[in-house]
């Protein structure tokens, strides 16, 4: 392009507007004197509509939007084209015509510190002091119009305009667009900033300079975690079943797993760079990559393969559902992931990206076991692989002491943490990172910190944390013979460079083709922290759609990265992961652990570019691959460290109000689990039945979507899940009850049994006990522990003694063997046909009277005295009766004798 426009000086629009302020004031004063008051509002209105202060100020009117489309080469090597070519698009987003639009490239000094990887991009444009010429883009753009352009400039040259890049490094570039809006003058209206990694300088096109390679140094040991996770999708409050179909809140996961979806593209990038055939796969890059998988994603995807339903309205979990459409996509994606996991390192993330600190506050052993212990088994079972054990990757990258103790108590030897969150012992809360206040609310263009530019770089926390440190106080205290805990002694510093120990339970994951061998657990009882660089992690988090700002990003450089184009954010990430390899420092370890956010939004092209950049570093001998197992097996630094829970991480964490309700429902699940009985050949088992509800509580504690700056939506999702789980637990406890008999229950005698019927509507057998509050007039024998069959009823005869013939009300309810109430209590009205004490007295008196009368008759007979009771009875008749009785007895004896013969 040629330079034909008259105004080429990059004058900030605020300066131009400022010069016009005085002119408008003079005109206003003259018009006021002349009495022409009608013209003043018009002029003031025009002035107010065109008074920006800086191109990035949210209070300024926006005229043009500059978008970066491509950078070629994206990373410069000695064999690259010596000319940098940038493609972009200029769009008129204002309400007026803009004329004489031109662009140019500017360069700042190479990034000298890791913190400058972020802060340099907020420097004022005057710091980009190496400038190229302006090149024309368009003569005129009306509102809504856009224009694509391509601009080229030499990296270094003695005969033409160039960026004057003569040595390797990471260089900040600024693409500046000037224009003249209507009613204004030529000014800088927008810019795009990005990083350009220069791994080597190619020879100049005019042969004025030779190629320059980086100074040989120890290659950076590089490990890359490749996250595959998604927000929780399963509808809460649905217990496990044998043939029931899963319900999802929406069908977005089907699109994500399908062709062109987010998870499809992340997996596709791995396949395209590493290869789909393990035999021909590039082992160099493969050994540096470890796939980090959320077990909740695998459970959901596997449930989708069997057919599933989707809520018609996500806000109505009890409403209508429709058939899901992603069964085939889920099956295909899982098959592809199994193929990759068969020869690539795999590590399980905490279940559903749970907030480990909130989990520690809940303090539920069974819930913690499901969140921390079960993930590795789930990943191994579904993917048919052997994942790395003993390594935890908390989503926030920051934990407090209680979370560290929870991890260590569950057998984790290493936690992957941000390098600013593990500090020397005794300095927690005093470091620059921990003293920065959290950013509250959404990070957007209305915040001054999001758009403020600096003349010089703001002070930022610069750390040189070793790649593996020992959190000395995060260790279980050994118990002495007298039962008291003693202090854990500090281990002797290890000087050997070769790793000799690993994490408890960790399985060594070697390069593809090698046999999997268990790692030796370390003797050190303290938790280790494998630290990752926050600046590369922040840059990686900005790549893709819906980029979050991590909790460990310092507040001074937290801004809305969506104002930058995706290509610019990708370039920033390429520069950030290359900086350590290009800038060896004695105070910093030659180690690089790359950790993108767990719910990463990179597309296939962006993810492929990240992988190829790592591959480029390896190929140029700037980096060397290091497996995750080798990293966690390294001896920790001799200086003891401690966790430093960052204020921003605490702000982004799950609110405290969810802790107690989750603990209460977790306790109810555990109590019900203890009462259920596993029947052979009967499904679901108690664990299969209740584990989905425990998973729902973990999803309440997820950190997914909590770093968007707006906590209203994740709080709503969490509360909805908690309410659904609570209602389900109420229903399950109410499904086991004793049936009321209806009417009055009449006992045939005072010792007749009480007949009761108990019903179990659960698909699992359950152990119960009767709680009968017997009144004083009754004595009811406790039948002890009984078992109810699945989805059935059972009758019970309760031994009962009633000493009262009145109607008695007996309250009856069911409990678990541990005394937890089941169902709704009922009452039985009992009436006995026995007369109780009155009947006993009458019977006793009658017996005594009968004994006295019989004795009286015998006494008179023995003494030959007639009994007055026999008076009036004829003696002749008495004699005949006696003779007849004697004759009858003789006949009976003769018959018996004959029969005996």
């Amino acid at each position: 392009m040629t330079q034909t426009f008259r105004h080429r000086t990059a004058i900030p629009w605020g300066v131009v507007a400022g010069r016009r302020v005085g002119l408008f004031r003079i005109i206003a004063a003259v018009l006021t004197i002349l009495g022409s008051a009608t013209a003043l509002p018009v002029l003031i209105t025009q002035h107010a509509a065109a008074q920006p202060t800086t191109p990035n100020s949210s209070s300024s009117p926006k005229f043009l939007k500059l978008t970066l489309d491509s950078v070629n080469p994206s990373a410069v090597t000695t064999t690259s084209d010596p000319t940098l070519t940038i493609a972009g698009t200029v769009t008129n987003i204002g309400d007026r015509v803009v004329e004489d639009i031109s662009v140019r490239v500017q360069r700042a000094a190479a990034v000298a510190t890791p913190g400058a990887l972020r802060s340099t991009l907020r420097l004022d444009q005057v710091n980009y002091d190496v400038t190229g010429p302006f090149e024309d883009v368009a003569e005129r753009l009306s509102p809504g119009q856009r224009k694509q352009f391509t601009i080229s400039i030499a990296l270094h040259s003695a005969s033409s305009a160039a960026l004057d890049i003569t040595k390797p490094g990471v260089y900040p570039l600024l693409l500046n667009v000037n224009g003249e809006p209507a009613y204004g003058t030529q000014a800088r209206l927008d810019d795009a900033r990005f990083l350009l990694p220069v791994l080597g300088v190619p020879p100049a096109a005019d042969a004025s300079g030779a190629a320059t390679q980086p100074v040989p140094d120890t290659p950076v040991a590089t490990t890359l975690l490749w996250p595959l996770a998604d927000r929780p999708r399963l509808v809460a409050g649905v217990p496990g079943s044998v043939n029931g179909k899963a319900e999802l809140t929406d069908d977005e996961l089907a699109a994500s797993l399908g062709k062109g979806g987010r998870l499809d593209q992340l997996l596709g990038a791995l396949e395209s760079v590493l290869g789909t055939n393990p035999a021909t796969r590039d082992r160099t890059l493969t050994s540096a990559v470890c796939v980090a998988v959320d077990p909740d994603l695998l459970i959901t995807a596997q449930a989708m393969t069997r057919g599933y339903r989707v809520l018609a309205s996500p806000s109505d979990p009890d409403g209508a559902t429709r058939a899901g459409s992603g069964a085939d996509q889920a099956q295909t994606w899982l098959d592809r992931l199994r193929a990759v996991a068969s020869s690539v390192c795999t590590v399980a993330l905490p279940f559903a990206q749970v907030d480990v600190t909130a989990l520690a506050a809940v303090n539920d052993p069974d819930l913690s076991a499901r969140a921390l212990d079960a993930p590795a088994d789930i990943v191994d079972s579904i993917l048919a692989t052997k994942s790395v054990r003993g390594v935890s990757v908390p989503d926030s990258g920051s934990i407090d002491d209680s979370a560290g103790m929870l991890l260590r108590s569950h057998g984790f030897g290493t936690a992957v943490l941000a390098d600013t969150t593990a500090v020397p012992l005794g300095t927690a809360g005093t470091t620059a990172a921990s003293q920065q206040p959290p950013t509250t609310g959404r990070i957007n263009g209305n915040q001054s910190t999001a758009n403020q530019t600096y003349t010089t770089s703001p002070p930022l926390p610069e750390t040189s944390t070793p790649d593996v440190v020992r959190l000395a106080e995060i260790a279980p205290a050994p118990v002495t013979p007298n039962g008291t805990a003693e202090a854990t002694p500090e281990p002797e510093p290890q000087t050997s460079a070769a790793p000799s120990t690993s994490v408890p339970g960790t399985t060594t994951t070697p390069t593809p083709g090698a046999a999997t061998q268990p790692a030796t657990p370390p003797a050190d009882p303290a938790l280790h922290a494998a630290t990752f660089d926050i600046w590369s992690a922040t840059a990686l988090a900005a790549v893709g759609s819906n980029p979050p700002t991590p909790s460990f990003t310092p507040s001074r450089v937290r801004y809305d990265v969506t104002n930058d184009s995706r290509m610019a954010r990708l370039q920033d990430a390429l520069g950030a992961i290359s900086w350590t390899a290009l800038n060896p420092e004695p105070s910093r370890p030659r180690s690089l652990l790359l950790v993108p956010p767990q719910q990463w939004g990179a597309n296939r092209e962006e993810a492929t570019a990240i992988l190829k950049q790592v591959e480029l570093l390896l190929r140029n001998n700037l980096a060397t691959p290091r497996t995750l197992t080798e990293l966690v097996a390294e001896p920790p630094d001799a200086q003891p460290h401690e966790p430093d829970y960052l204020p921003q991480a605490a702000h982004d964490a799950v609110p405290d109000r969810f802790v107690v309700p989750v603990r209460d429902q977790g306790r109810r699940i555990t109590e019900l689990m203890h009462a259920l009985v596993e029947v052979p050949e009967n499904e679901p088992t108690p664990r299969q039945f209740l584990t989905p509800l425990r998973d729902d509580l973990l999803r309440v504690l997820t950190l997914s979507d909590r770093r968007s700056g707006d906590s209203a939506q994740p709080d709503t999702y969490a509360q909805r899940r908690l309410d659904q789980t609570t209602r389900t637990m109420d229903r399950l406890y109410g499904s086991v009850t004793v049936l009321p008999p209806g009417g009055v229950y009449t006992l045939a005698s005072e010792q007749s049994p009480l007949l009761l019927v108990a019903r179990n509507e659960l698909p699992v057998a359950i152990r119960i006990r009767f709680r009968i509050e017997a009144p004083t007039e009754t004595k009811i024998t406790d039948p002890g522990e009984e078992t109810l069959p699945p989805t059935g009823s059972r009758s019970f005869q309760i031994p009962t003694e009633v000493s009262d013939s009145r109607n008695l009300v007996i309250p009856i309810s069911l409990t678990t063997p541990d005394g937890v109430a089941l169902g709704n209590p009922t009452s039985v009205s009992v009436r006995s046909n026995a007369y109780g004490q009155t009947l006993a007295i009458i019977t006793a008196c009658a017996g005594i009277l009968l004994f006295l009368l019989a004795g009286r008759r015998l006494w008179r007979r023995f003494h030959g005295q007639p009994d007055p009771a026999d008076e009036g009875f004829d003696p002749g008749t008495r004699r005949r009766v006696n003779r007849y009785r004697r004759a009858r007895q003789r006949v009976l004896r003769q018959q018996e004798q004959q029969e005996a013969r």
Side-chain angles (χ1 to χ4, degrees):
M1 295 184 181
T2 59
Q3 300 183 33
T4 58
F5 302 143
R6 293 173 295 175
H7 302 290
R8 294 291 179 242
T9 304
I11 306 174
W13 176 245
V15 176
V16 176
R19 293 175 179 174
R20 300 184 59 178
V21 172
L23 178 60
F24 276 106
R25 290 176 178 174
I26 295 174
I27 295 175
V30 173
L31 291 177
T32 303
I33 295 174
L34 296 177
S36 182
T38 58
L40 184 58
V42 177
L43 293 176
I44 294 177
T45 302
Q46 291 182 354
H47 166 63
Q51 193 181 359
T53 57
T54 70
N56 295 324
S57 175
S58 60
S59 62
S60 307
K62 302 293 185 179
F63 297 108
L64 296 180
K65 175 64 177 178
L66 179 60
T67 304
L68 192 66
D69 295 336
S70 67
V71 178
N72 188 30
S74 58
V76 180
T77 65
T78 55
T79 60
S80 300
D81 191 322
T83 300
L84 181 67
T85 302
I86 303 172
T89 302
V90 176
T91 305
N92 187 337
I93 60 173
D95 57 356
R96 64 187 69 180
V97 173
V98 179
E99 298 178 339
D100 295 351
I101 302 170
S102 57
V103 297
R104 74 174 178 186
V105 181
Q106 301 175 220
R107 176 183 71 78
V111 175
T113 62
L117 291 167
R118 182 86 167 182
S119 62
T120 301
L121 300 175
R122 308 309 299 165
L123 291 178
D124 189 84
Q125 64 95 20
V126 297
N127 292 273
Y128 294 78
D129 50 359
V130 179
T131 61
F134 274 100
E135 297 193 19
D136 302 334
V137 172
E139 294 184 1
R140 176 187 178 92
L141 281 181
S142 299
Q145 285 186 326
R146 64 179 59 193
K147 177 69 174 180
Q148 292 182 327
F149 66 90
T150 301
I151 184 173
S152 299
I153 189 171
L155 295 172
H156 63 104
S157 176
S159 59
S160 61
L163 294 176
D164 195 22
I165 295 177
T166 58
K167 60 181 181 179
V170 177
Y171 290 88
L173 299 184
L174 181 145
L175 194 60
N176 178 16
V177 59
N178 273 19
E180 183 177 330
Y183 316 111
T185 59
Q186 189 76 204
R188 177 169 59 91
L189 301 182
D190 198 14
D191 59 52
R193 303 152 187 257
F194 60 96
L195 299 177
L196 179 68
V198 179
L199 309 185
V201 181
D206 57 4
S208 60
T212 304
Q213 294 183 344
V215 177
D217 200 282
T218 304
V220 176
T222 303
T223 306
L224 170 62
L225 294 186
W226 198 257
L228 295 175
D230 192 55
R231 69 167 59 96
R233 303 282 184 181
L234 287 172
V235 174
V238 181
S241 61
V242 179
N243 299 318
K245 290 187 176 181
E247 289 188 6
L248 272 63
T249 56
D250 53 58
D251 217 9
E252 293 180 4
L253 185 55
S256 183
L257 297 174
K259 187 176 181 179
R262 181 182 66 86
L263 291 169
D264 167 72
Q265 295 190 69
L266 284 175
L267 183 57
L270 271 180
E271 294 171 328
S272 63
V273 177
L274 301 183
T276 56
N277 186 357
T280 60
R281 186 166 288 165
D282 181 7
R283 296 187 178 183
T284 302
L285 180 59
T286 300
S287 59
V289 176
C290 194
V291 181
V293 189
D294 183 358
D296 185 38
L297 170 61
L298 297 183
I299 289 176
T300 306
Q302 188 176 56
M304 293 171 63
T305 63
R306 297 188 290 266
Y308 64 101
R309 307 287 298 178
V310 177
L311 294 180
S313 173
S315 60
D316 184 13
D318 299 323
T321 62
R322 55 182 174 84
S325 60
D328 294 339
Q329 294 93 319
Q331 185 64 63
T332 301
W333 188 84
L334 284 175
D335 292 341
R336 292 166 54 199
L337 181 56
R338 289 190 187 100
V340 171
S342 64
S343 56
V344 177
C345 164
T346 306
V347 64
L349 298 173
F351 193 92
Q353 305 150 69
V354 67
D355 185 347
V356 182
T357 299
L359 184 66
V362 171
N363 193 25
D364 184 305
D366 295 307
L367 205 61
S368 299
R370 180 64 179 174
L372 303 176
D373 299 341
D377 295 331
I378 295 172
V379 170
D380 292 355
S381 174
I382 296 179
L383 298 184
T385 187
K386 186 64 176 177
S387 59
V388 177
R389 301 296 180 109
V391 180
S392 178
V393 188
D395 181 74
S396 64
S398 179
I399 59 174
D400 60 6
D401 290 351
S402 62
M405 290 297 296
L406 178 65
L407 293 176
R408 195 67 190 94
S409 64
H410 282 266
F412 288 91
T414 303
V416 178
L417 303 177
D419 57 8
T420 54
T421 65
V423 298
L425 190 62
T427 62
T430 63
T431 62
S434 60
Q435 290 183 340
Q436 296 194 24
T439 301
T440 58
R442 181 183 297 276
I443 301 177
N444 54 33
N446 295 327
Q447 285 185 312
S448 60
T449 58
N451 299 288
Q452 185 175 357
T453 57
Y454 304 97
T455 304
T456 59
S457 296
L460 294 170
E462 297 292 351
T463 62
S464 58
T465 306
D467 50 354
V468 179
V469 297
R470 180 177 184 270
L471 305 180
E473 296 184 347
I474 308 300
V479 180
T480 61
N482 60 5
T484 61
E486 62 181 6
T488 303
E490 293 290 333
E492 296 181 0
Q494 303 182 41
T495 58
S496 174
S500 59
T501 59
S502 184
V503 182
T506 301
T507 300
T508 303
T509 307
T511 56
T516 301
Q517 299 178 352
T520 304
D524 188 358
L527 181 68
H528 294 180
T531 62
F532 61 85
D533 173 45
I534 65 169
W535 305 111
S536 61
T538 298
L540 288 170
V543 175
S545 59
N546 302 318
T549 301
S551 301
F552 46 75
T553 302
S555 59
R556 291 295 303 272
V557 288
R558 297 176 66 87
Y559 57 87
D560 186 7
V561 295
T562 57
N563 290 329
D564 300 330
S565 62
R566 293 184 64 152
M567 178 55 64
R569 288 181 266 136
L570 175 60
Q571 283 296 132
D572 297 342
L574 298 181
I577 64 180
S578 305
W579 188 89
T580 301
L582 296 171
N583 295 270
E585 293 184 358
S587 61
R588 298 184 64 85
R590 297 295 289 166
S591 172
L592 182 62
L593 175 58
L594 300 174
V595 182
Q598 294 184 9
Q599 198 171 314
W600 200 18
N603 61 25
R604 185 185 183 107
E605 291 74 19
E606 293 164 337
T608 300
I610 297 296
L611 287 169
K612 288 189 174 180
Q613 185 68 16
V614 175
E615 185 180 35
L616 189 62
L617 293 172
L618 297 173
R619 194 166 57 244
N620 284 270
N621 200 34
L622 293 172
T624 182
R626 177 188 54 189
T627 66
L628 180 62
T629 305
E630 292 171 350
L631 170 62
V632 301
E634 291 182 5
D637 186 69
Q639 182 179 18
H641 284 64
E642 64 180 336
D644 191 4
Y645 194 46
L646 300 180
Q648 187 66 48
H651 176 267
D652 295 338
V654 174
D656 292 339
R657 70 174 183 272
F658 291 108
V659 171
V660 174
V662 168
R663 181 190 301 141
D664 293 341
Q665 298 308 315
R667 185 190 67 252
R668 296 181 73 193
I669 293 175
T670 300
E671 291 171 343
L672 185 59
M673 179 77 78
H674 290 166
L676 297 182
V677 179
E678 184 169 355
V679 179
E681 300 181 358
N682 182 73
E683 289 187 341
T685 64
R687 189 168 300 277
Q688 291 172 340
F689 182 63
L690 291 181
T691 294
L693 300 178
R694 190 165 278 145
D695 294 346
D696 290 333
L697 295 180
L698 293 177
R699 295 181 183 112
V700 173
L701 303 179
T702 182
L703 286 174
S704 176
D705 299 328
R706 285 199 171 274
R707 278 176 292 279
S708 63
D710 183 7
S711 62
Q713 187 177 39
D715 285 351
T716 300
Y717 290 161
Q719 188 62 54
R720 186 177 298 159
R721 287 186 177 278
L722 183 60
D723 293 342
Q724 290 173 257
T725 305
T726 302
R727 288 196 297 268
T728 298
M729 291 306 303
D730 292 342
R731 179 173 57 82
L732 295 185
Y733 271 88
S735 299
V736 183
T737 186
V738 60
L739 299 180
V744 179
Y745 189 87
T746 302
L747 299 178
S749 67
E750 63 178 1
Q751 293 185 349
S752 297
L754 184 64
L755 298 179
L756 298 176
V757 178
R759 181 175 59 192
N760 175 25
E761 296 178 353
L762 302 178
V764 186
I766 185 171
R767 296 178 296 124
I768 63 166
R769 294 183 70 95
F770 285 93
R771 178 184 292 169
I772 304 176
E773 301 176 8
T776 56
E777 296 85 355
T778 62
K779 180 180 179 182
I780 301 178
T781 303
D782 185 3
E785 183 179 302
E786 300 287 349
T787 300
L788 295 180
T791 58
S793 302
R794 182 180 169 188
S795 299
F796 298 91
Q797 293 187 358
I798 311 298
T800 306
E801 295 183 9
V802 180
S803 59
D804 197 325
S805 60
R806 295 175 300 170
N807 287 346
L808 302 176
V809 177
I810 303 177
I812 301 176
S813 61
L814 296 181
T815 69
T816 68
D818 297 330
V820 181
L822 294 171
N824 297 318
T826 187
S827 59
V828 179
S829 295
V830 177
R831 182 178 60 192
S832 175
N833 286 333
Y835 288 96
Q837 293 181 354
T838 303
L839 178 62
I841 294 173
I842 293 175
T843 302
C845 293
I848 294 172
L849 179 61
L850 180 62
F851 178 78
L852 293 175
L853 292 175
R856 174 176 173 274
R857 178 179 286 273
L858 292 174
W859 186 85
R860 286 184 177 275
R861 177 173 294 181
F862 292 153
H863 291 76
Q865 297 179 3
D867 192 338
D870 295 333
E871 292 182 0
F873 196 75
D874 185 13
T877 303
R878 181 182 301 148
R879 287 193 295 273
R880 287 194 296 272
V881 170
N882 291 335
R883 287 197 298 268
Y884 173 78
R885 183 182 297 113
R886 289 192 294 271
R888 177 66 178 167
Q889 292 176 352
R890 286 195 299 271
V891 172
L892 291 176
R893 285 196 296 270
Q894 291 174 359
Q895 290 178 352
E896 291 177 355
Q897 293 175 356
Q898 290 177 359
E899 291 177 356
R901 295 174 185 172

